[in-house]
Structure formats: structure tokens, C-alpha cells
Amino acid sequence: MKVIEYNRNKVVKYAEKWAYERNPKYYNFDNLGGDCTNFASQCIYEGCKVMNYTKTTGWYYNNANDKSPSWTGVEYLYGFLINNKAIGPHGIEVSKNDIEIGDLVQLSFSKKLYSHSLIVVKKESNNLDEIYVASHTFNSYNRKISSYQFENVRFVHINEIYK
């Protein structure tokens, strides 16, 4: 396997273009539990252009009926990124100090379950008032993380892409 560069600028450009609209190449899951992780996956894919087609445990999208659980599921995406040792993006959970544009943020609105995925599009400092994200379901671009009413937050830094 070869390690390739994650293009963070492409992630941000994609997020800016599609934050308030839906890319017709992908199904809109707003009415099936939300589109946030689908959008986050699209953004991450734009930065790496590599999918992992391993059934059940991979990370891929062909159409609404042929996709991995990790493409649209908050906890599944986290699990894939953290545990991936094969083709595709790999991430590590970090503090807010270590995230960069193009990284993943997930919010929990209850103590037990993370249920919202966002993409970092701008970071001016390590303060949540100066870390900005984009997302679907609660459509936003350049929104401060601190503007959400959440109980817990986790940050996943995309550190390698395997091809």
C-alpha cells in the first residue's frame, strides 16, 4: 500500500460548494435520519479520491442502496477512520488543538451517542469560537462549533490516506 496526500483545500472547496445544496451524484438522506455523515464522507472523499470497497467494514458509496454503513452512519464513520488499516482514509482522535481544515468533528447531544458529523473549514485558534465547520441536515458553512448546543465533541484528524 502507498500513502498519498490528503488534499485539505479540495475538502474545503467541496464543502463550500455543497453545504447549502445537494450534489446530485449522491442520494439525499435528510428524510432517512439525516444527511450529515453522507456530506462529511463526500467531503473526505473529495480530499482523498479513494474508497474502501470491503463489504460491511469498508467506506464506499455507489448509490443509495449500495454503500457502506460508514458512509452515512456517524459511529460507523468514526469506527472506520480510527480502525482502518487498509485502503482509504485513516484518522486518529485528537484534541481540538490538533485538528486542521478537512478534519472531522462529531457532536453528541446526549451523553451516550454521537449523532452529528461536521467538517472543519477554517481554524483561527484552538478556541471553539474560532473553529468553523460545514454540515448537512443542519445546513451550514463557516459555522462556529461553539454555536451548537452539544454535550460532547470529538475530533478526528485525517492523518493518512492509503492507496
Side-chain angles (χ1 to χ4, degrees):
M1 265 186 306
K2 179 174 135 184
V3 177
I4 60 171
E5 184 180 344
Y6 184 51
N7 191 324
R8 296 175 183 282
N9 291 325
K10 282 189 176 181
V11 174
V12 172
K13 286 180 183 173
Y14 185 91
E16 182 178 22
K17 180 175 182 176
W18 294 107
Y20 294 103
E21 296 185 33
R22 300 298 185 262
N23 184 336
K25 292 180 185 174
Y26 299 96
Y27 187 80
N28 177 357
F29 291 92
D30 276 334
N31 294 323
L32 294 172
D35 201 55
C36 64
T37 306
N38 178 38
F39 178 66
S41 286
Q42 291 171 40
C43 292
I44 294 168
Y45 176 71
E46 192 64 25
C48 69
K49 295 295 189 184
V50 179
M51 292 185 187
N52 178 318
Y53 288 95
T54 306
K55 290 290 181 192
T56 310
T57 60
W59 177 75
Y60 65 91
Y61 178 96
N62 291 316
N63 60 58
N65 297 313
D66 184 11
K67 62 175 181 51
S68 64
S70 60
W71 190 269
T72 55
V74 176
E75 293 289 349
Y76 292 108
L77 177 58
Y78 174 82
F80 172 78
L81 291 171
I82 297 300
N83 297 308
N84 183 30
K85 305 274 187 272
I87 292 171
H90 176 264
I92 55 173
E93 189 168 345
V94 297
S95 76
K96 64 184 177 183
N97 301 351
D98 297 320
I99 59 167
E100 300 176 38
I101 63 168
D103 284 342
L104 179 71
V105 177
Q106 293 187 320
L107 302 178
S108 168
F109 302 104
S110 70
K111 291 182 180 176
K112 297 180 181 179
L113 181 68
Y114 283 86
S115 60
H116 193 43
S117 296
L118 314 101
I119 293 292
V120 177
V121 295
K122 183 167 74 171
K123 182 179 178 187
E124 296 176 335
S125 78
N126 294 328
N127 184 318
L128 292 182
D129 282 334
E130 295 183 321
I131 300 172
Y132 302 84
V133 292
S135 73
H136 274 185
T137 306
F138 306 114
N139 293 354
S140 63
Y141 183 81
N142 230 15
R143 181 175 174 178
K144 296 176 183 183
I145 292 176
S146 63
S147 70
Y148 289 88
Q149 300 296 312
F150 58 88
E151 290 195 22
N152 290 307
V153 59
R154 65 184 174 199
F155 304 95
V156 178
H157 174 65
I158 309 295
N159 64 334
E160 293 179 312
I161 308 296
Y162 304 130
K163 185 171 184 175

